[in-house]
Amino acid sequence: MKRFTFSVLSLSLLLAGCQQAALSPQPTVSQLPAGIELIKDASVSSSSVAIPYKKYRLANGLTVVVHEDQSDPLVHVDVTYHVGSAREEPGKSGFAHFFEHMMFQGSEHVADEQHFKIITEAGGEMNGSTNSDRTNYYQTVPVNQLEKVLWLESDRMGFLLDAVTEKKFEVQRETVKNERGQSVDNRPYGRLSERVAQAFYPDGHPYSWPVIGHMADLNRANVNDVKAFFLRWYGPNNATLTIGGAVKAEDILPLVQQYFAAIPRGPEVTPTAKTAVSLTADRYVSMEDNVHLPLLYMAFPTVYARHEDEAALDILAEILGGGNNSLLYKNLVKTQKAVQAQTGHGCQELACEFTLLALPAPGAVKSLAETEQQIRQSLAEFEQRGVTDDDLNKVKAKMEAASIFALQSVEGKVSRLAANETFFGEPDLAAADLARYQRVTKADVERVYQQYLKGKAAVVMSVVPKGQRQLIARADNFTPVTHDFGGPSTTKAEDLQLRRTQDSLDRSKIPGAGANPAVSLPATWQQQLSNGIRVLGAQSHETPTTSLLLRVPLGLYDETPPQAGISQLLAAMLDESTMLKTTEQMSLALEKLGASISFSAGDEYLEVSVQSLSKYLPQTLELLMEKLLLPAFNADDFSRAQQQTLQFIQHSEKDAGVLASRAVQQLMYGNHISAYPNQGTLQSVSALKISDVKAYAQRLLKPAHAELILVSDLPQAQVLAELQPRLRRWLGDAPTRNVQIPDAVAKTGTIYLIDKPDAPQSEIRIVKRSLNRDFTGEYFRSGLMNFVLGGNFNSRINLNLREEKGYTYGATSYFSADRYAGIYQAAAAVRADVTGASVQEFFKELSRYQQQGMTPQELDFMRKAINQADALAYETPGAKLGFMAAILQYGLASDFTTQRNQIVRDITLDELNQLAKRHLDPASFSVVIVGPAAQLRPQLEKLGMPVENYKF
């Protein structure tokens, strides 16, 4: 699920261009297929950052938006229905999200699970999402596969209901329960938003129930209720079909007409009234949760999406809690009163919420009442401080950058066109959005503060660790209304008002596809700088941007267990003050350029990610060198970063998935440093001193073996002219790394059980040590072998545990490795009551595949899916950076992708099945399970494997 929000905090989603496209001459009606009307042609623009499009409408009401982008041989198709949880009725919540699941379960001419299979086999990607206001379904495929997507989408729009069976309904109802368990009930703070919504909105308001729904409502429902929901909302007149990529409108409109024109209209849909939400007094609500830190959350009602005050409220949110220069950061985070503090102004179609959040540091407050007071004091400080020129300038710079970076992905452009058309009837609103933010004045920001926050009532939510209710901000003074919606639904099939699609098209035949489109790999150039940095660059003309990835050989493998986590602390320190600028001054300098520089540390590398508009590349590089050469290693910065790390570690110990991963690391790698989490342990991080981090940097933060990967619209000579004089100021070499990974310490055939009391789900990991990473050898070939077992949605494991049994939201298996070591594991989060049965099914699938191997049909499916995926692999600068980083790190030949494609074409069934026999012996695995041990142990003991309690 995704929540529809518009705010300055997510500008990359909000903005996709910055000028309204100029209209080109409209084609004559005779040029269009019968029954298709051109509504608007915005395909020509004088702006370099607009999203050109053409908008059409079919006679049945379907809106079609086409965006032509010939830069990559792919196409993204989005079908958005203007229905989300806000269109549901009280007592029937969760139907919109439930139908997102049902739409992937086959239709009249598409078999069960075939939608996933067809898209995967086509080398594509697909998904769907639901929020309060819309449901969308989207696919990205090589452009030669477009007709298949249109066939699939039209079949589930016009021919779905006869394929919706009682069995599918029951299985997907269990899948939704598993999704809720995984993403809400078993996640720290997972129920916060639905509890806030109950208090924030009046009883019965469309936003007062969660998008995923109340499980009691789904339990009452029957299959006919779901069909009735489809008939009410899933007509073409309530949908927008958006197609973007290497297409031409005149070529694809006949296909759109062929597949969609005959689908009959649904009932008319009228806009939902935007009734202002108001609170007469503060509403205090609280809950206990399995969390480490208490959390305070405040929510004020404001306006609705694209209201005239939205832009000023977004800027107010940025001033109060949007980064290192905000008031909440200054007053709570920098002073170590809070581990985290931030604000947001999330807007939906009918209402917006201005939110403030803080997680107080341990021992910093006696209760959340103090945190609430600190937040209110920051609001009062804003009244005195007012709005500065920098406040406005940095937001406008962010918007310019975000509007350009948003053009790097066809999917990103299509999703914005689709959302804007669905909610506002105008696909490209970039110019209007930029204009309304540019118009915001200091007085506007101060006015909206007075109007919507000062002295206004809010919902104040306290989330506290179990058994610590004394920490809540104030006693609850609000109780949600409870309803009795009766017993099971009595909706009958004869109650439905069916509508049938009648056409002469033979929809039983899957459309064919032309030849695979030619995929151009990034043309690259290489250079070694005088200080030893190897540079691999590529030029991309799609956007006037430069993306850099600097990788320094420094990470977990260079640490010792007593200093585990030091690499990540170093990365955190490099993101803080320099000798010339405070953290706040550095953040402001970057924000005014619309640029970003971020540091992170993994197993092998310290990575520096740089994003810049190319026109500001010199200034951005100067700030990068200041961070690298002049880190301040300020004591206050270190103390804050250390405490934040310690709290993150303790918070992660409440997450069952994290616990499972930690146990796998320890069992697979023993006491070697690779068994430790990247962030370190409570013991190791607590013992570190700033002098340790500084000495570590002086020893290892050197350029001699670093790698710099870049993608820019600038030519090689110009990029090097900016890079070389700056980077050669950085000198030095580091000791050679020597990594020796010991054998696993886990006992095969043993279940290691980690207790997480009262957890509704269990995390399962069936694991063994395996191959080191390669790109054309046994590791790569073993990944091909695993593809049909657990490497895609239609894999044997997922179809069994999710689609047939309804035990999980998703199950998978995979090889993961680096140069030094690797593991193979099968994994899922399952309902606690079926944990033993799930382990049994995992081993059944592993054993059957190991003994019988892949079928010829599965081999054909794997070949098509892998070899047609290249069209999607190198689209964005980020994707290019990842591809190029592997070339440098592993010394790959420039034609290694050709070698891989040849392997996929030539590998035999016998070779794949021999790999299965070699790597999937069930007796070679160990099992890690995190869940409620008292409930799980009786189930697990029936499996005939030793069960050992495992503690960290």
Side-chain angles (χ1 to χ4, degrees), residues 634-677:
N634 180 282
D636 288 340
D637 291 342
F638 175 76
S639 176
R640 184 172 59 254
Q642 184 180 44
Q643 288 303 312
Q644 288 173 333
T645 302
L646 291 170
Q647 299 316 311
F648 173 82
I649 293 170
Q650 290 182 275
H651 170 74
S652 67
E653 291 175 350
K654 301 295 184 179
D655 188 299
V658 173
L659 293 175
S661 297
R662 282 188 58 197
V664 165
Q665 283 181 279
Q666 291 183 2
L667 290 165
M668 291 298 102
Y669 302 118
N671 196 40
H672 189 265
I673 190 62
S674 55
Y676 286 75

Side-chain angles (χ1 to χ4, degrees), residues 360-379:
V365 297
K366 294 180 181 179
S367 79
L368 290 172
E370 294 180 45
T371 303
E372 179 189 355
Q373 183 62 26
Q374 291 163 359
I375 291 175
R376 293 189 185 277
Q377 288 170 352
S378 294
L379 294 177

